[in-house]
Amino acid sequence: MGREQQQVSYTVEQLVSVNPYNPDIVSDLENYVNEQVSSQTYSLEANLCLLRLYQFEPGRMSIPIVVQILIKALMAMPASDFSLCLFLIPEQVQMEEQFKTLIVLSHYLETARFRQFWDEAAKSRSILEVVPGFEQAIQAYAIHVLSLTYQKVPRPVLAEAINIEGLSLDKFIEHHVANSGWALEKSHGRSQLIVLPRNEFNHPELKKHTADGVPFEHVTRVFPILS
């Protein structure tokens, strides 16, 4: 089965690279979107290709397929895939309720308003549940954002960002302590602190100056151009 899926994936990617403006591949690309959903894989290039073909033949546009593409793009954050896909969707289509909802969710994620995001997502479960793995992908994005901001994140802040509480949160934290380099620490106010791995954003002293990373031979090549 795995070899068959790889063959389908390879064939679709090949179609996209060889003739991306061929309307005959619309059905193949739509099937590939469904495959991405069921297998929890992702191909931005193929999805953008399908959206471009829909622009040429708007009568063939499948709204459920476009919804799935946008949800998969949301799951790819912090990449800008959602904006890239949205740019190819006609404005009148964007005005439909389910697309307006996805645009609002995107805005909440981009501005790290996680409480509002999860509240809105709960109201829109019927739209989002068609794509498995959505919650886990957004939780991973939320952790990414927290890791850029915090050296030590309070437990309530983490709970709000990933929408998990109680014993489920305990298990979530235990998993990341064992597998992601997290550590636990007690704060003065009894609230648990989660110590996140060091990076150049939450520990600026780790960030190297740009000049330090430019080899001397690259600099010498610029001199003749400037002269």
Side-chain angles (χ1 to χ4, degrees), residues 86-160:
L86 196 65
F87 180 75
L88 298 173
I89 298 172
E91 188 173 345
Q92 65 270 24
V93 176
Q94 295 184 30
M95 295 306 294
E96 295 190 20
E97 201 59 39
Q98 52 195 332
F99 291 103
K100 287 162 69 174
T101 295
L102 292 174
I103 291 170
V104 168
L105 289 174
S106 170
H107 175 68
Y108 285 151
L109 289 178
E110 288 173 354
T111 54
R113 294 159 67 184
F114 294 115
R115 177 187 296 173
Q116 292 93 326
F117 169 84
W118 291 114
D119 288 345
E120 185 65 31
K123 300 175 193 173
S124 312
R125 191 168 297 277
S126 60
I127 300 173
L128 303 173
E129 65 184 3
V130 299
V131 180
F134 179 77
E135 286 191 7
Q136 292 84 350
I138 302 305
Q139 287 165 350
Y141 168 68
I143 290 170
H144 165 77
V145 172
L146 292 177
S147 72
L148 302 182
T149 311
Y150 289 91
Q151 298 177 5
K152 302 176 182 180
V153 59
R155 180 186 172 101
V157 173
L158 175 65
E160 179 179 293

Side-chain angles (χ1 to χ4, degrees), residues 8-220:
V8 172
S9 173
Y10 175 73
T11 301
V12 171
E13 297 291 355
Q14 194 174 43
L15 288 173
V16 170
S17 63
V18 172
N19 196 356
Y21 296 102
N22 179 5
D24 293 337
I25 67 173
V26 166
S27 295
D28 292 307
L29 291 171
E30 289 176 336
N31 290 335
Y32 190 40
V33 172
N34 288 325
E35 183 189 321
Q36 291 173 55
V37 170
S38 61
S39 63
Q40 298 193 41
T41 55
Y42 182 56
S43 173
L44 174 64
E45 184 181 4
N47 295 346
L48 289 176
C49 179
L50 177 57
L51 293 176
R52 281 192 293 267
L53 290 172
Y54 280 157
Q55 285 187 313
F56 296 125
E57 298 193 46
R60 298 184 66 180
M61 177 179 288
S62 166
I63 296 300
I65 290 291
V66 177
V67 168
Q68 290 181 83
I69 288 175
L70 286 180
I71 294 174
K72 294 292 282 186
L74 272 182
M75 293 166 64
M77 290 190 74
S80 58
D81 297 13
F82 187 86
S83 297
L84 293 174
C85 292
L86 196 65
F87 180 75
L88 298 173
I89 298 172
E91 188 173 345
Q92 65 270 24
V93 176
Q94 295 184 30
M95 295 306 294
E96 295 190 20
E97 201 59 39
Q98 52 195 332
F99 291 103
K100 287 162 69 174
T101 295
L102 292 174
I103 291 170
V104 168
L105 289 174
S106 170
H107 175 68
Y108 285 151
L109 289 178
E110 288 173 354
T111 54
R113 294 159 67 184
F114 294 115
R115 177 187 296 173
Q116 292 93 326
F117 169 84
W118 291 114
D119 288 345
E120 185 65 31
K123 300 175 193 173
S124 312
R125 191 168 297 277
S126 60
I127 300 173
L128 303 173
E129 65 184 3
V130 299
V131 180
F134 179 77
E135 286 191 7
Q136 292 84 350
I138 302 305
Q139 287 165 350
Y141 168 68
I143 290 170
H144 165 77
V145 172
L146 292 177
S147 72
L148 302 182
T149 311
Y150 289 91
Q151 298 177 5
K152 302 176 182 180
V153 59
R155 180 186 172 101
V157 173
L158 175 65
E160 179 179 293
I162 63 176
N163 198 38
I164 301 179
E165 294 180 335
L167 290 175
S168 296
L169 181 58
D170 290 337
K171 292 180 180 178
F172 187 91
I173 293 173
E174 287 173 8
H175 172 80
H176 282 278
V177 167
N179 297 280
S180 305
W182 291 12
L184 299 180
E185 185 179 292
K186 281 284 187 181
S187 71
H188 298 300
R190 291 186 178 180
S191 177
Q192 191 179 52
L193 291 174
I194 295 91
V195 182
L196 300 176
R198 293 159 57 93
N199 61 64
E200 64 181 30
F201 297 99
N202 62 18
H203 284 268
E205 70 275 8
L206 298 178
K207 189 172 184 178
K208 295 181 179 180
H209 295 294
T210 304
D212 295 341
V214 180
F216 178 73
E217 60 269 20
H218 290 186
V219 177
T220 57

